[in-house]
Amino acid sequence: MNTFTIPTPPTFRFAPNLAYLNRDPKECMHHIQNDQVSKLIPTSHGNTLIQVREPAPNTLQITLPAITSPIPTSHQQEITQYIHDWFDLDRDITPFYQLAETDTLLHPAVQAHHGLCIISIPDLFEALIWGIIGQQINLSFAYTLKRQFVEKFGTSTTYAGITYWTFPTPATIARLTPEDLTTIQFTTRKSEYTIGVAKLITTGELSKQALQQLPDLPAIEKSLTKIRGIGPWTANYVLMRCLRYPNAFPIDDIGLINAIKHALQMEQKPTKQEILNLAQNWSNWEAYATFYLWRTLY
């Protein structure tokens, strides 16, 4: 068994991040037990089961329970980078906390969930498909669809009686027909969008690396929204959760709208202009503001 540790920034606390990851029992991409999250992650050395816990403040312990022999340094570095991306550990969110101190909307959310980071979805295909799945349905049903999708088309590894899944690959999904997905409750349009994205990634027309080389957020948003089934909301969701732009802003998100309505005890849902007015103080931290407000609801 291999074990190593990763330091975390002073603003990071593991407990609120673990609570976020544990918010829906239908989640199939990781397993949480005894204050530890276990996940099967893709690496150049093959799919690797990792277990992450916090043995002491500002320290994460990473264990590879299924590997008994020493691993190459390159393998450990890949896992470390994945953890950094997953928990956004390279970002100093102190400025966000400073602006939240004087923001009547954000202050209670930050107080309740201090130490929470934006949990990212490092894989572009997974982020795009999760965004497509979530279009115009409630979160609970979205988790149901994702689980059905993963368990039908993904790959798995069983360790100590628990089955761990990896997200389906673009190559696998590109070979499907819409009918293959409608059998698991995808609508015809979502089926077409999902297969279309898979084909773009498989042919190399769409990649995370190519998006990261674009000059700024508007350029990436423009590139993504050219894809059938990807509107501004899905593009900003991917910018926020996968490409980790702290100024991504899915302003039309129903969760954000409901969180603001609830927090301000409004009789009607806030308009887009009202949200823009509230967000004037969030410049360059819109994604974090959105994530924390989401957390007040789920």
Side-chain angles (χ1 to χ4, degrees):
M1 183 183 297
N2 289 271
T3 300
F4 58 94
T5 59
I6 297 174
T8 59
T11 53
F12 178 86
R13 290 174 55 238
F14 189 54
N17 291 280
L18 198 65
Y20 173 83
L21 288 169
N22 203 29
R23 70 196 186 284
D24 196 291
K26 294 188 292 294
E27 175 59 65
C28 58
M29 297 303 295
H30 54 259
H31 177 76
I32 294 175
Q33 188 175 14
N34 299 327
D35 297 324
Q36 174 177 273
V37 58
S38 303
K39 183 176 176 65
L40 190 63
I41 68 169
T43 75
S44 63
H45 298 267
N47 291 335
T48 303
L49 178 62
I50 64 171
Q51 297 174 333
V52 185
R53 59 186 293 268
E54 186 180 56
N58 302 120
T59 302
L60 292 180
Q61 178 180 292
I62 317 302
T63 300
L64 314 182
I67 301 177
T68 56
S69 57
I71 63 170
T73 300
S74 60
H75 195 181
Q76 181 173 323
Q77 289 173 338
E78 271 192 77
I79 295 167
T80 299
Q81 187 59 57
Y82 188 96
I83 300 294
H84 273 249
D85 291 348
W86 191 18
F87 292 109
D88 206 21
L89 295 181
D90 295 326
R91 192 178 314 282
D92 180 10
I93 62 173
T94 303
F96 170 68
Y97 284 154
Q98 289 172 341
L99 73 84
E101 288 178 4
T102 57
D103 190 292
T104 55
L105 185 59
L106 292 180
H107 185 70
V110 167
Q111 289 292 103
H113 305 287
H114 198 278
L116 177 68
C117 65
I118 291 182
I119 305 292
S120 81
I121 304 172
D123 179 65
L124 176 65
F125 182 61
E126 181 180 344
L128 282 164
I129 301 312
W130 183 222
I132 289 170
I133 287 173
Q135 292 171 2
Q136 299 180 325
I137 60 174
N138 64 54
L139 191 61
S140 178
F141 185 48
Y143 273 110
T144 297
L145 290 184
K146 183 173 83 167
R147 188 177 196 116
Q148 292 174 168
F149 180 72
V150 170
E151 292 183 353
K152 188 172 181 66
F153 302 111
T155 58
S156 65
T157 294
T158 300
Y159 179 81
I162 298 172
T163 300
Y164 299 92
W165 291 91
T166 57
F167 203 76
T169 65
T172 297
I173 304 306
R175 293 192 293 265
L176 302 181
T177 65
E179 290 73 24
D180 293 318
L181 293 175
T182 56
T183 61
I184 57 168
Q185 296 181 278
F186 276 52
T187 64
T188 299
R189 283 192 176 183
K190 284 187 182 181
S191 301
E192 292 170 350
Y193 300 161
T194 297
I195 294 168
V197 167
K199 288 179 177 178
L200 288 174
I201 292 178
T202 302
T203 61
E205 295 174 72
L206 174 64
S207 71
K208 185 175 181 179
Q209 182 180 19
L211 291 174
Q212 289 172 325
Q213 291 174 348
L214 293 174
D216 52 25
L217 185 152
I220 298 174
E221 182 179 0
K222 183 178 180 181
S223 178
L224 286 172
T225 53
K226 289 179 180 177
I227 300 169
R228 183 168 179 254
I230 308 297
W233 176 83
T234 306
N236 275 274
Y237 183 83
V238 170
L239 278 156
M240 172 184 178
R241 296 294 304 277
C242 179
L243 301 175
R244 298 189 296 124
Y245 272 74
N247 57 332
F249 197 11
I251 192 169
D252 296 317
D253 181 79
I254 190 63
L256 174 63
I257 292 168
N258 286 336
I260 292 172
K261 179 178 181 289
H262 175 75
L264 299 180
Q265 299 182 358
M266 302 171 70
E267 292 186 5
Q268 304 292 329
K269 292 179 179 179
T271 65
K272 187 172 183 177
Q273 187 55 54
E274 286 174 326
I275 296 174
L276 286 170
N277 292 340
L278 290 167
Q280 287 180 1
N281 187 44
W282 306 346
S283 181
N284 295 319
W285 292 101
E286 291 89 347
Y288 262 85
T290 299
F291 199 73
Y292 269 78
L293 289 170
W294 281 346
R295 195 68 185 100
T296 64
L297 293 183
Y298 42 76

